[in-house]
Amino acid sequence: MISNTIYSKGRDSFKDYTFSAREWSAPTMVSPKEIRERIDSFALCGRKIKRMRLISLSYFHTRDWVEEAAYRQVEHLPEEERQRKSNYPTIDPTMQFSRYAQIDEPFLIEFEDGDIFEVDTPQDPEFRMSMNCIPWWIKAGTNQPNAEADVLFSPCVGQEIVSVEVNTRITDKDPMFFCAFDEPPYQRELVSNVTLRLRNGLGLQISPDIDYCEVACVDVSNEWVKISFSELKDALFNWEDLHADEVTGFEAESHMALLIRT
């Protein structure tokens, strides 16, 4: 785990319009004080969210992970029925999922005034944040995106940020390797999450999770807000979502054979 801020040598000059963590100018920070100061410098309070974007893949929203989440929800059923009800095409449209994404490239928020806030957590407990440094339609540097943030986090669209929380915890273990710190201080204050509190009482919570970034829509108790599967499907564009016809059951074998629904 790093102890001090690492300042990037990047100049936000993204070759081939593709995101690169090395080219991003945002510093890598672990100090709660420095993280608070940097996020305060962006003056987020009072801004209204116009739209949001996940640059790259949401690992929680691949077909396998969606089916796994559904499978866990029907554990009371016999195995054959459990398998059927967690199969992607036959998941109950009313089944509830969390408004949550697990990503490994920045999360973008554009405000109604045109400014864009960019945030990522490369690994626990590191935070990187900037304003107007990453082009909105930049391409993924690793895995291609598969979820529409505006649908996944729809209760946040159009909402005003009323406060920004930098929540911390005290720990005596390195959060990446789960071993005790081998040099002082042996107990350290680390940032658990940054939460943007909204006018409607909900929040957008950004948290490090090992070497991923978690983004979640949370309620006043910091519980993940839910979304029905029927609404969630409108947010997804995995291979199956783009190449399968729900009526006929046909699945294209080539990315050249896109089906147009009428």
Side-chain angles (χ1 to χ4, degrees), residues 122-141:
Q123 65 179 38
D124 199 358
E126 301 169 1
F127 279 78
R128 299 186 74 183
M129 297 174 286
S130 63
M131 189 78 83
N132 300 322
C133 292
I134 302 175
W136 181 259
W137 290 116
I138 196 167
K139 294 182 291 186

Side-chain angles (χ1 to χ4, degrees), residues 29-77:
M29 301 171 292
V30 295
S31 162
K33 179 177 182 293
E34 292 185 16
I35 290 171
R36 286 191 186 97
E37 289 175 348
R38 184 163 180 84
I39 202 167
D40 286 347
S41 74
F42 300 137
L44 300 183
C45 291
R47 298 179 186 259
K48 286 188 177 180
I49 296 173
K50 178 182 178 181
R51 56 181 178 169
M52 294 161 283
R53 182 167 184 250
L54 305 173
I55 291 178
S56 64
L57 189 79
S58 171
Y59 293 93
F60 190 69
H61 290 109
T62 63
R63 176 167 177 162
D64 287 347
W65 273 107
V66 170
E67 289 182 332
E68 175 64 24
Y71 184 79
R72 290 197 300 268
Q73 292 191 57
V74 291
E75 60 183 359
H76 59 286
L77 297 176

Side-chain angles (χ1 to χ4, degrees), residues 31-182:
S31 162
K33 179 177 182 293
E34 292 185 16
I35 290 171
R36 286 191 186 97
E37 289 175 348
R38 184 163 180 84
I39 202 167
D40 286 347
S41 74
F42 300 137
L44 300 183
C45 291
R47 298 179 186 259
K48 286 188 177 180
I49 296 173
K50 178 182 178 181
R51 56 181 178 169
M52 294 161 283
R53 182 167 184 250
L54 305 173
I55 291 178
S56 64
L57 189 79
S58 171
Y59 293 93
F60 190 69
H61 290 109
T62 63
R63 176 167 177 162
D64 287 347
W65 273 107
V66 170
E67 289 182 332
E68 175 64 24
Y71 184 79
R72 290 197 300 268
Q73 292 191 57
V74 291
E75 60 183 359
H76 59 286
L77 297 176
E79 181 61 24
E80 184 176 345
E81 183 72 356
R82 191 180 182 189
Q83 292 283 353
R84 188 183 71 81
K85 286 186 174 293
S86 61
N87 188 29
Y88 195 86
T90 54
I91 293 174
D92 186 340
T94 66
M95 183 175 284
Q96 299 293 296
F97 292 78
S98 296
R99 294 183 181 270
Y100 158 90
Q102 184 188 66
I103 56 180
D104 58 8
E105 292 190 325
F107 176 58
L108 309 186
I109 303 175
E110 183 179 4
F111 302 109
E112 290 188 352
D113 62 9
D115 283 340
I116 299 173
F117 174 60
E118 304 113 5
V119 59
D120 191 20
T121 59
Q123 65 179 38
D124 199 358
E126 301 169 1
F127 279 78
R128 299 186 74 183
M129 297 174 286
S130 63
M131 189 78 83
N132 300 322
C133 292
I134 302 175
W136 181 259
W137 290 116
I138 196 167
K139 294 182 291 186
T142 51
N143 296 308
Q144 294 304 305
N146 63 340
E148 179 63 54
D150 283 347
V151 178
L152 186 59
F153 304 119
S154 60
C156 306
V157 176
Q159 288 296 312
E160 177 187 352
I161 298 173
V162 296
S163 65
V164 179
E165 301 172 2
V166 178
N167 298 303
T168 64
R169 67 191 188 277
I170 303 296
T171 181
D172 59 0
K173 290 183 173 60
D174 185 304
M176 281 294 293
F177 302 104
F178 310 107
C179 57
F181 293 118
D182 56 6

Side-chain angles (χ1 to χ4, degrees), residues 211-225:
D211 57 351
Y212 295 103
C213 177
E214 292 182 344
V215 182
C217 177
V218 298
D219 61 19
V220 293
S221 301
N222 289 320
E223 296 294 327
W224 290 348
V225 177

Side-chain angles (χ1 to χ4, degrees), residues 181-222:
F181 293 118
D182 56 6
E183 59 184 19
Y186 296 111
Q187 285 196 331
R188 304 183 190 185
E189 182 184 23
L190 305 178
V191 175
S192 300
N193 63 73
V194 169
T195 302
L196 310 181
R197 289 292 172 188
L198 308 176
R199 179 67 66 187
N200 62 1
L202 300 179
L204 267 175
Q205 188 173 89
I206 297 97
S207 314
D209 178 25
I210 309 178
D211 57 351
Y212 295 103
C213 177
E214 292 182 344
V215 182
C217 177
V218 298
D219 61 19
V220 293
S221 301
N222 289 320

